[in-house]
CSV table of all heavy atoms in Angstrom, one decimal:
chain,number,residue,atom,x,y,z
D,64,PHE,N,40.4,-58.0,46.0
D,64,PHE,CA,39.4,-59.1,45.9
D,64,PHE,C,38.5,-59.2,47.1
D,64,PHE,O,37.6,-60.0,47.1
D,64,PHE,CB,40.0,-60.4,45.6
D,64,PHE,CG,40.9,-60.4,44.3
D,64,PHE,CD1,42.2,-60.8,44.3
D,64,PHE,CD2,40.3,-60.1,43.1
D,64,PHE,CE1,43.0,-60.8,43.2
D,64,PHE,CE2,41.1,-60.0,41.9
D,64,PHE,CZ,42.4,-60.4,41.9
D,100,ARG,N,35.0,-59.5,27.5
D,100,ARG,CA,35.7,-59.7,28.7
D,100,ARG,C,37.2,-59.7,28.5
D,100,ARG,O,38.0,-59.3,29.4
D,100,ARG,CB,35.2,-61.0,29.4
D,100,ARG,CG,33.8,-60.9,30.0
D,100,ARG,CD,33.4,-62.1,30.8
D,100,ARG,NE,33.2,-63.2,30.0
D,100,ARG,CZ,33.0,-64.5,30.4
D,100,ARG,NH1,33.0,-64.7,31.7
D,100,ARG,NH2,32.8,-65.5,29.6
D,107,ILE,N,42.5,-53.6,32.0
D,107,ILE,CA,42.9,-53.6,33.4
D,107,ILE,C,44.4,-53.9,33.6
D,107,ILE,O,45.1,-53.2,34.3
D,107,ILE,CB,42.1,-54.6,34.3
D,107,ILE,CG1,40.6,-54.2,34.2
D,107,ILE,CG2,42.6,-54.7,35.7
D,107,ILE,CD1,39.7,-55.3,34.8
D,108,TYR,N,44.8,-54.9,32.8
D,108,TYR,CA,46.3,-55.2,32.8
D,108,TYR,C,47.1,-54.0,32.5
D,108,TYR,O,48.1,-53.6,33.2
D,108,TYR,CB,46.6,-56.3,31.9
D,108,TYR,CG,48.0,-56.5,31.5
D,108,TYR,CD1,48.9,-57.0,32.4
D,108,TYR,CD2,48.5,-56.1,30.3
D,108,TYR,CE1,50.3,-57.2,32.1
D,108,TYR,CE2,49.8,-56.2,29.9
D,108,TYR,CZ,50.7,-56.7,30.8
D,108,TYR,OH,52.0,-56.9,30.5
D,129,ARG,N,43.9,-68.2,48.7
D,129,ARG,CA,43.4,-69.3,48.0
D,129,ARG,C,44.4,-70.5,47.9
D,129,ARG,O,44.5,-71.1,46.9
D,129,ARG,CB,42.9,-68.9,46.6
D,129,ARG,CG,41.8,-67.9,46.6
D,129,ARG,CD,41.3,-67.5,45.2
D,129,ARG,NE,40.4,-66.4,45.3
D,129,ARG,CZ,40.2,-65.5,44.4
D,129,ARG,NH1,40.9,-65.5,43.3
D,129,ARG,NH2,39.3,-64.6,44.5
D,131,PRO,N,48.3,-72.2,49.9
D,131,PRO,CA,49.4,-71.9,50.8
D,131,PRO,C,50.3,-70.7,50.4
D,131,PRO,O,51.2,-70.3,51.2
D,131,PRO,CB,50.2,-73.2,50.9
D,131,PRO,CG,49.9,-73.9,49.6
D,131,PRO,CD,48.5,-73.5,49.2
D,132,SER,N,50.1,-70.2,49.2
D,132,SER,CA,51.0,-69.2,48.7
D,132,SER,C,50.3,-67.9,48.4
D,132,SER,O,49.1,-67.8,48.5
D,132,SER,CB,51.8,-69.6,47.5
D,132,SER,OG,53.0,-70.3,47.9
D,135,PRO,N,48.9,-65.0,42.9
D,135,PRO,CA,49.8,-65.0,41.8
D,135,PRO,C,50.0,-63.7,41.0
D,135,PRO,O,51.0,-63.4,40.5
D,135,PRO,CB,49.3,-66.1,40.9
D,135,PRO,CG,47.9,-66.2,41.2
D,135,PRO,CD,47.8,-65.9,42.7
D,136,GLY,N,48.9,-62.9,41.0
D,136,GLY,CA,49.0,-61.6,40.3
D,136,GLY,C,49.9,-60.7,41.1
D,136,GLY,O,50.7,-60.0,40.5
D,138,VAL,N,52.4,-61.8,43.0
D,138,VAL,CA,53.8,-62.3,42.8
D,138,VAL,C,54.3,-61.8,41.5
D,138,VAL,O,55.5,-61.4,41.4
D,138,VAL,CB,53.7,-63.8,42.8
D,138,VAL,CG1,55.1,-64.4,42.4
D,138,VAL,CG2,53.4,-64.3,44.2
D,139,PHE,N,53.5,-61.8,40.4
D,139,PHE,CA,53.9,-61.3,39.1
D,139,PHE,C,54.3,-59.9,39.2
D,139,PHE,O,55.4,-59.5,38.7
D,139,PHE,CB,52.7,-61.5,38.1
D,139,PHE,CG,53.0,-61.1,36.7
D,139,PHE,CD1,53.4,-62.1,35.8
D,139,PHE,CD2,53.1,-59.8,36.3
D,139,PHE,CE1,53.7,-61.8,34.5
D,139,PHE,CE2,53.4,-59.5,35.0
D,139,PHE,CZ,53.7,-60.5,34.1
D,142,ALA,N,57.7,-59.5,41.1
D,142,ALA,CA,58.8,-59.9,40.3
D,142,ALA,C,59.2,-58.9,39.2
D,142,ALA,O,60.3,-58.6,38.9
D,142,ALA,CB,58.6,-61.3,39.7
D,146,ALA,N,62.6,-57.0,38.9
D,146,ALA,CA,63.4,-57.1,37.7
D,146,ALA,C,63.7,-55.7,37.1
D,146,ALA,O,64.7,-55.5,36.5
D,146,ALA,CB,62.6,-57.9,36.7
D,170,THR,N,53.6,-84.2,46.7
D,170,THR,CA,54.7,-83.5,46.0
D,170,THR,C,55.7,-83.1,47.1
D,170,THR,O,55.4,-83.0,48.3
D,170,THR,CB,54.2,-82.2,45.3
D,170,THR,OG1,53.6,-81.3,46.3
D,170,THR,CG2,53.2,-82.6,44.2
D,171,THR,N,56.9,-82.7,46.7
D,171,THR,CA,57.9,-82.2,47.6
D,171,THR,C,57.5,-80.8,48.0
D,171,THR,O,57.3,-80.0,47.2
D,171,THR,CB,59.3,-82.2,46.9
D,171,THR,OG1,59.6,-83.5,46.4
D,171,THR,CG2,60.4,-81.7,47.8
D,174,ASP,N,61.6,-77.1,52.2
D,174,ASP,CA,61.7,-77.0,53.7
D,174,ASP,C,62.9,-76.2,54.0
D,174,ASP,O,63.9,-76.8,54.5
D,174,ASP,CB,61.7,-78.4,54.3
D,174,ASP,CG,61.6,-78.4,55.8
D,174,ASP,OD1,61.3,-77.4,56.3
D,174,ASP,OD2,61.9,-79.5,56.4
D,175,PHE,N,62.8,-74.9,53.8
D,175,PHE,CA,64.0,-74.1,54.0
D,175,PHE,C,63.7,-73.0,55.1
D,175,PHE,O,64.4,-72.0,55.1
D,175,PHE,CB,64.5,-73.4,52.7
D,175,PHE,CG,64.9,-74.4,51.7
D,175,PHE,CD1,64.2,-74.6,50.5
D,175,PHE,CD2,66.0,-75.2,51.9
D,175,PHE,CE1,64.5,-75.6,49.6
D,175,PHE,CE2,66.4,-76.2,50.9
D,175,PHE,CZ,65.7,-76.3,49.8
D,180,ASN,N,57.7,-69.5,48.9
D,180,ASN,CA,58.5,-70.1,47.9
D,180,ASN,C,59.9,-69.4,47.8
D,180,ASN,O,59.9,-68.1,47.9
D,180,ASN,CB,57.8,-70.0,46.5
D,180,ASN,CG,58.6,-70.6,45.4
D,180,ASN,OD1,59.6,-70.1,45.0
D,180,ASN,ND2,58.1,-71.6,44.8
D,186,ALA,N,64.5,-63.6,46.8
D,186,ALA,CA,64.7,-62.4,45.9
D,186,ALA,C,64.6,-61.2,46.8
D,186,ALA,O,65.3,-60.2,46.6
D,186,ALA,CB,63.6,-62.4,44.8
W,173,PHE,N,58.8,-80.4,41.8
W,173,PHE,CA,58.3,-80.9,43.1
W,173,PHE,C,57.6,-82.2,43.0
W,173,PHE,O,57.1,-82.8,44.0
W,173,PHE,CB,57.3,-79.8,43.7
W,173,PHE,CG,57.9,-78.5,43.9
W,173,PHE,CD1,57.3,-77.3,43.3
W,173,PHE,CD2,59.0,-78.3,44.7
W,173,PHE,CE1,57.8,-76.1,43.5
W,173,PHE,CE2,59.5,-77.1,44.9
W,173,PHE,CZ,59.0,-75.9,44.3
W,209,ARG,N,69.6,-73.8,56.5
W,209,ARG,CA,68.5,-73.9,55.5
W,209,ARG,C,68.4,-72.6,54.7
W,209,ARG,O,68.1,-72.6,53.5
W,209,ARG,CB,67.2,-74.3,56.1
W,209,ARG,CG,67.2,-75.8,56.5
W,209,ARG,CD,65.8,-76.3,57.0
W,209,ARG,NE,65.4,-75.7,58.2
W,209,ARG,CZ,64.2,-75.8,58.8
W,209,ARG,NH1,63.3,-76.4,58.2
W,209,ARG,NH2,64.0,-75.2,59.9
W,216,ILE,N,70.2,-71.9,46.1
W,216,ILE,CA,69.3,-72.4,45.1
W,216,ILE,C,68.7,-71.3,44.3
W,216,ILE,O,68.7,-71.3,43.0
W,216,ILE,CB,68.1,-73.3,45.7
W,216,ILE,CG1,68.7,-74.5,46.4
W,216,ILE,CG2,67.1,-73.7,44.6
W,216,ILE,CD1,67.7,-75.3,47.2
W,217,TYR,N,68.3,-70.2,45.0
W,217,TYR,CA,67.8,-69.0,44.3
W,217,TYR,C,68.8,-68.5,43.3
W,217,TYR,O,68.5,-68.2,42.2
W,217,TYR,CB,67.4,-68.0,45.3
W,217,TYR,CG,67.2,-66.6,44.8
W,217,TYR,CD1,66.1,-66.3,44.0
W,217,TYR,CD2,68.2,-65.6,45.0
W,217,TYR,CE1,66.0,-65.0,43.5
W,217,TYR,CE2,68.1,-64.3,44.5
W,217,TYR,CZ,67.0,-64.0,43.7
W,217,TYR,OH,66.8,-62.8,43.2
W,238,ARG,N,48.6,-76.7,43.9
W,238,ARG,CA,48.2,-76.4,45.3
W,238,ARG,C,47.2,-75.2,45.4
W,238,ARG,O,47.3,-74.4,46.3
W,238,ARG,CB,49.4,-76.0,46.1
W,238,ARG,CG,50.4,-77.2,46.3
W,238,ARG,CD,51.7,-76.8,47.1
W,238,ARG,NE,52.6,-77.9,47.0
W,238,ARG,CZ,53.9,-77.8,47.1
W,238,ARG,NH1,54.5,-76.6,47.4
W,238,ARG,NH2,54.7,-78.8,47.0
W,240,PRO,N,43.9,-72.9,42.9
W,240,PRO,CA,43.4,-72.6,41.6
W,240,PRO,C,44.4,-72.0,40.6
W,240,PRO,O,44.1,-71.8,39.5
W,240,PRO,CB,42.2,-71.7,41.9
W,240,PRO,CG,42.5,-71.0,43.2
W,240,PRO,CD,43.3,-72.0,44.0
W,241,SER,N,45.6,-71.5,41.1
W,241,SER,CA,46.5,-70.8,40.3
W,241,SER,C,47.9,-71.6,40.2
W,241,SER,O,48.1,-72.6,40.8
W,241,SER,CB,46.7,-69.4,40.8
W,241,SER,OG,45.8,-68.5,40.3
W,244,PRO,N,53.7,-70.2,42.6
W,244,PRO,CA,54.1,-68.8,42.7
W,244,PRO,C,55.6,-68.7,42.3
W,244,PRO,O,56.0,-67.6,41.8
W,244,PRO,CB,53.9,-68.5,44.1
W,244,PRO,CG,53.9,-69.8,44.8
W,244,PRO,CD,53.3,-70.8,43.9
W,245,GLY,N,56.4,-69.7,42.5
W,245,GLY,CA,57.8,-69.6,42.1
W,245,GLY,C,57.9,-69.5,40.6
W,245,GLY,O,58.7,-68.7,40.0
W,247,VAL,N,55.5,-68.3,38.6
W,247,VAL,CA,55.0,-67.0,38.2
W,247,VAL,C,56.0,-66.0,38.4
W,247,VAL,O,56.2,-65.1,37.5
W,247,VAL,CB,53.7,-66.7,39.0
W,247,VAL,CG1,53.3,-65.2,38.8
W,247,VAL,CG2,52.6,-67.7,38.7
W,248,PHE,N,56.8,-66.1,39.5
W,248,PHE,CA,57.9,-65.1,39.7
W,248,PHE,C,58.9,-65.1,38.6
W,248,PHE,O,59.3,-64.1,38.0
W,248,PHE,CB,58.6,-65.4,41.0
W,248,PHE,CG,59.6,-64.4,41.4
W,248,PHE,CD1,59.3,-63.4,42.3
W,248,PHE,CD2,60.9,-64.5,40.9
W,248,PHE,CE1,60.3,-62.5,42.7
W,248,PHE,CE2,61.9,-63.6,41.3
W,248,PHE,CZ,61.5,-62.6,42.2
W,251,ALA,N,57.5,-63.7,35.2
W,251,ALA,CA,57.4,-62.2,35.3
W,251,ALA,C,58.8,-61.6,35.1
W,251,ALA,O,59.0,-60.6,34.4
W,251,ALA,CB,56.8,-61.7,36.6
W,255,ALA,N,59.8,-59.2,32.1
W,255,ALA,CA,60.4,-57.9,32.5
W,255,ALA,C,61.7,-57.6,31.8
W,255,ALA,O,62.1,-56.5,31.5
W,255,ALA,CB,60.5,-57.7,34.0
W,279,THR,N,35.5,-63.9,48.5
W,279,THR,CA,36.2,-62.9,47.8
W,279,THR,C,35.7,-62.8,46.3
W,279,THR,O,35.1,-63.7,45.8
W,279,THR,CB,37.7,-63.2,47.8
W,279,THR,OG1,38.0,-64.4,47.1
W,279,THR,CG2,38.3,-63.3,49.2
W,280,THR,N,36.1,-61.7,45.7
W,280,THR,CA,35.7,-61.5,44.3
W,280,THR,C,36.6,-62.4,43.5
W,280,THR,O,37.9,-62.4,43.6
W,280,THR,CB,35.9,-60.1,43.9
W,280,THR,OG1,35.1,-59.2,44.7
W,280,THR,CG2,35.6,-59.9,42.4
W,283,ASP,N,36.3,-62.5,36.6
W,283,ASP,CA,35.5,-63.3,35.6
W,283,ASP,C,35.7,-62.7,34.2
W,283,ASP,O,34.8,-62.1,33.7
W,283,ASP,CB,34.1,-63.3,36.1
W,283,ASP,CG,33.2,-64.2,35.2
W,283,ASP,OD1,33.8,-65.0,34.5
W,283,ASP,OD2,32.0,-64.1,35.3
W,284,PHE,N,36.9,-63.0,33.7
W,284,PHE,CA,37.2,-62.4,32.4
W,284,PHE,C,37.5,-63.5,31.3
W,284,PHE,O,38.2,-63.3,30.3
W,284,PHE,CB,38.4,-61.4,32.5
W,284,PHE,CG,38.2,-60.3,33.4
W,284,PHE,CD1,38.8,-60.2,34.6
W,284,PHE,CD2,37.2,-59.3,33.0
W,284,PHE,CE1,38.6,-59.1,35.4
W,284,PHE,CE2,37.0,-58.2,33.9
W,284,PHE,CZ,37.7,-58.1,35.1
W,289,ASN,N,45.0,-65.6,36.4
W,289,ASN,CA,45.0,-64.2,36.9
W,289,ASN,C,45.3,-63.3,35.7
W,289,ASN,O,46.3,-63.6,34.9
W,289,ASN,CB,46.0,-64.0,38.0
W,289,ASN,CG,46.1,-62.6,38.6
W,289,ASN,OD1,46.5,-61.7,37.9
W,289,ASN,ND2,45.6,-62.5,39.8
W,295,ALA,N,49.6,-60.5,30.3
W,295,ALA,CA,51.0,-60.2,30.0
W,295,ALA,C,51.5,-61.1,28.9
W,295,ALA,O,52.3,-60.6,28.0
W,295,ALA,CB,51.9,-60.4,31.3
Side-chain angles (χ1 to χ4, degrees):
Chain D
F64 301 123
R100 285 189 291 172
I107 296 171
Y108 163 75
R129 297 180 187 152
S132 274
V138 170
F139 186 96
T170 61
T171 302
D174 187 12
F175 299 112
N180 179 294
Chain W
F173 301 124
R209 286 190 290 172
I216 296 172
Y217 163 75
R238 296 180 187 153
S241 274
V247 171
F248 185 96
T279 62
T280 302
D283 187 12
F284 300 111
N289 179 294

